[in-house]
């Protein structure tokens, strides 16, 4: 069994404590991982600050070349990194390979962004009496970025924090999810080989509840970026003061299906959006609102498509849906299913335990107050509900404390534009599922879904400071 240490100042460092990492699928021990303490975090932050003083001086082309070299190294180890995701996250190998492909794209976008960081000229003579000045803006790196990442995309969501930070010359102290540290630790030597200065990437593993406060409250940290649960996000927001902050939190993403849509063409895509990585995706399709006229046909086709999914060992090439991240999460999801059934909901397929997860579950006859509808289920559960007109459907979508992504399938441009204008979400996806995301688009939510935006270009805005400069051309 492998033993993984902390990555501090370009070297592996022993920790006073360790913890045992188990496979989500088999529950067998797969690694021993260092468990950092407050002193380790302090050392990591101070080292990152020292590294920043030099790294910020790198010209843009050198930062871009660094990221391109990292891309080449990840490409060369693509299968190895995908297998790490299978091992630590229980992610089906097909899905894991897709995540590594997206990780590569995110670092490529970051390399390109490093060379296109720009400001603008400000017409100083637009103000009366100011004719002898020129002005412009520029963006400057902040310093140390504290990045806290979740278990569900342990490679690509790390890339969305490291890539933009390195593109502009920031340094990063990374705290990966307790269950999925291995893919982050594998990056340590990749970035060292790519030429990243020692200290520019620090990786501290262990308990989030122990490490979060010393990480986010240290005065040397200038930016906090967190992806995870709403309660933790709110706690972080209450403690960071005037530091820059990005929060990507929860969702119960919804899809509207209008009556003019060819169901047979959208069904495989909709099922994939609901059950990919066992529904453990922030924008997983959880709520489907289907017009009365096609409701029964939609449910029948959706159930039939769901029952084609292969559930099993994530290392098996044929597996579509693997285990959930922890048996306790599967227990919680089962409790929500049983609560909904007692309140009148119908399970059309699934609804039972499979290995350390639950079978892909489709539910009807649900009500908006049930946990499987109004909460973020983060499990392979989808609910399908009726509506009679588009206004009602939009109201149902908006009847949520979340607002990350939402989708609508329709052939009618007026309906599409109405949904785009009236749905309360960070993104409205027309003629596709809300689970759609590419890594250069802005990504983030409204309401309880978050604060700020990711997507490389948009993340860079939050990882830089805007400076204004003016010159008086005469004395």
């Amino acid at each position: 069994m492998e033993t993984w240490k902390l990555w501090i100042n370009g070297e592996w460092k022993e920790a006073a404590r360790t913890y045992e990492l188990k496979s989500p699928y088999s529950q067998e021990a797969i690694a021993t991982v260092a468990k950092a303490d407050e002193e380790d975090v302090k050392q990591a932050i101070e080292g990152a600050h020292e590294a920043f003083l030099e790294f910020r001086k790198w010209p843009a082309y050198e930062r871009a070349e660094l990221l391109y070299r990292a891309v080449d190294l990840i490409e060369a180890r693509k299968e190895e990194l995908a297998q790490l995701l299978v091992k630590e996250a229980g992610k089906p190998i097909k899905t894991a390979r897709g995540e590594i492909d997206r990780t590569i794209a995110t670092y490529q976008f970051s390399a390109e962004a490093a060379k296109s960081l720009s400001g603008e000229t400000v017409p100083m003579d637009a103000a009366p009496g100011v004719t002898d000045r020129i002005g412009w803006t520029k963006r400057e790196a902040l310093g140390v970025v504290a990045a806290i990442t979740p278990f569900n995309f342990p490679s690509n969501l790390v890339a969305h924090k490291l890539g933009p930070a390195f593109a502009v010359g920031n340094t990063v102290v990374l705290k990966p999810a307790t269950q999925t540290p291995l893919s982050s630790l594998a990056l340590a030597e990749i970035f060292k080989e790519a030429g990243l200065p020692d200290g520019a990437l620090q990786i501290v593993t262990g308990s989030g509840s122990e490490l979060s406060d010393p990480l986010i409250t240290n005065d040397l940290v200038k930016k906090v970026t967190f992806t995870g649960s709403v309660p933790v996000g709110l706690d972080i927001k209450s403690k960071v003061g005037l530091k820059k902050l990005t929060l990507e939190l929860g969702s119960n993403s919804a899809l509207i299906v209008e009556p003019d849509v060819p169901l047979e063409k959208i069904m495989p895509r909709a099922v994939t959006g609901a059950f990919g990585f066992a529904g453990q995706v922030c924008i997983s399709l959880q709520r489907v609102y289907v017009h009365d006229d096609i409701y029964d046909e939609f449910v029948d086709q959706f159930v039939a498509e769901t029952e084609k999914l292969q559930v099993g060992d994530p290392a098996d090439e044929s597996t579509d849906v693997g285990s959930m991240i922890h048996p306790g999460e599967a227990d919680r999801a089962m409790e929500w299913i049983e609560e909904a059934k007692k309140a009148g909901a119908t399970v059309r397929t699934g609804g039972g335990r499979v290995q350390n997860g639950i079978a892909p579950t489709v539910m009807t006859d649900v009500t908006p107050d049930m946990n499987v509808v109004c909460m973020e289920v983060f499990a392979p559960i989808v609910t399908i509900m009726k509506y009679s007109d588009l206004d009602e459907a939009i109201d149902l979508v908006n009847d949520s404390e979340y607002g990350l992504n939402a989708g609508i399938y329709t052939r009618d441009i007026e309906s599409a534009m109405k949904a785009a204008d009236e749905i309360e979400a960070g993104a409205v996806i027309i003629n596709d599922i809300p689970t759609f995301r590419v890594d250069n688009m802005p990504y983030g939510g409204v309401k309880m879904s978050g604060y700020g935006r990711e997507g490389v270009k948009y993340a860079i805005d939050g990882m830089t400071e805007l400076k204004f400069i003016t010159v008086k051309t005469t004395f």
Side-chain angles (χ1 to χ4, degrees), residues 79-333:
E79 184 64 17
E80 171 197 342
L81 295 172
Q83 293 293 344
L84 271 183
L85 297 181
V86 173
K87 183 170 21 174
E88 67 178 349
K91 183 163 286 195
I93 183 60
K94 293 184 293 187
T95 310
R97 291 186 184 118
E99 180 175 347
I100 301 302
D101 285 338
R102 286 186 58 190
T103 299
I104 289 167
T106 300
Y107 286 122
Q108 286 173 328
F109 285 132
S110 298
E112 292 156 11
K115 295 186 289 186
S116 57
L117 195 66
S118 62
E120 62 181 1
T121 57
V122 179
M124 304 301 290
D125 58 354
V130 184
T131 58
D132 60 348
R133 296 177 189 270
I134 58 175
W136 68 94
T137 63
K138 61 182 292 193
R139 288 203 165 270
E140 295 184 334
L142 297 173
V144 179
V145 174
I148 305 174
T149 56
F151 73 82
N152 58 335
F153 284 89
S155 180
N156 194 39
L157 291 186
V158 167
H160 271 282
K161 300 182 190 307
L162 300 190
F166 296 156
V168 300
N170 290 322
T171 57
V172 180
V173 180
L174 171 63
K175 162 59 181 79
T178 307
Q179 177 59 42
T180 54
L182 307 186
S183 48
S184 290
L185 291 166
L187 284 175
E189 292 185 339
I190 286 175
F191 270 105
K192 187 176 179 74
E193 187 177 345
L196 186 71
D198 289 347
L201 172 60
Q202 315 273 30
I203 306 174
V204 290
T205 54
S207 166
S209 60
E210 291 181 15
L211 303 183
S212 177
D213 280 9
L215 181 56
I216 67 175
T217 59
N218 190 298
D219 288 341
L220 292 177
V221 170
K222 304 304 179 186
K223 160 86 182 189
V224 176
T225 174
F226 169 79
T227 301
S229 71
V230 171
V232 175
L234 292 175
D235 183 63
I236 289 172
K237 194 172 189 300
S238 72
K239 293 175 178 176
V240 297
L242 295 179
K243 297 183 195 321
K244 287 183 176 284
L245 177 66
T246 300
L247 300 173
E248 198 277 282
L249 307 177
S251 182
N252 58 350
S253 295
L255 173 68
I256 297 171
V257 183
E258 285 278 79
D260 56 356
V261 171
L263 297 184
E264 70 283 354
K265 291 186 177 181
I266 71 168
M267 206 56 60
R269 180 75 170 156
V271 168
T272 298
F275 301 118
F277 192 38
Q280 298 169 122
V281 180
C282 297
I283 44 177
S284 181
L285 174 56
Q286 182 176 331
R287 299 179 292 150
V288 186
Y289 297 102
V290 182
H291 193 276
D292 284 330
D293 291 351
I294 58 169
Y295 179 82
D296 290 338
E297 183 183 1
F298 181 94
V299 170
D300 289 344
Q301 288 194 32
F302 195 95
V303 168
E305 192 70 28
T306 298
E307 290 175 345
K308 296 177 185 177
L309 296 173
Q310 296 295 312
V311 181
D313 185 344
D316 190 319
E317 296 283 350
S318 66
T319 295
D320 300 306
V321 180
S323 59
M324 292 181 65
I325 197 67
H326 190 274
E329 284 300 296
D331 291 341
R332 186 263 310 162

Side-chain angles (χ1 to χ4, degrees), residues 6-13 51 55 58 62 65-74 77 107 162 166 172 183-203:
L6 307 176
W7 183 254
I8 306 288
N9 295 329
E11 297 178 340
W12 295 112
K13 182 193 175 200
F55 190 41
W58 280 35
E62 288 189 2
E65 288 302 310
L66 161 75
L67 288 160
Y68 282 129
R69 288 193 295 272
V71 164
D72 290 341
L73 292 167
I74 294 169
R77 296 174 59 179
Y107 286 122
L162 300 190
F166 296 156
V172 180
S183 48
S184 290
L185 291 166
L187 284 175
E189 292 185 339
I190 286 175
F191 270 105
K192 187 176 179 74
E193 187 177 345
L196 186 71
D198 289 347
L201 172 60
Q202 315 273 30
I203 306 174

Side-chain angles (χ1 to χ4, degrees), residues 430-450:
I430 297 170
N431 287 335
D432 205 352
I433 51 177
T435 323
F436 172 79
R437 182 186 181 185
V438 290
D439 297 291
N440 62 333
M441 69 186 243
Y443 179 74
V446 299
K447 298 189 278 190
M448 298 300 283
S449 283

Side-chain angles (χ1 to χ4, degrees), residues 324-343:
M324 292 181 65
I325 197 67
H326 190 274
E329 284 300 296
D331 291 341
R332 186 263 310 162
M334 284 301 303
E335 288 175 9
W336 287 10
I337 290 171
E338 293 304 317
E339 288 171 4
K341 286 167 61 178
K342 288 176 183 176

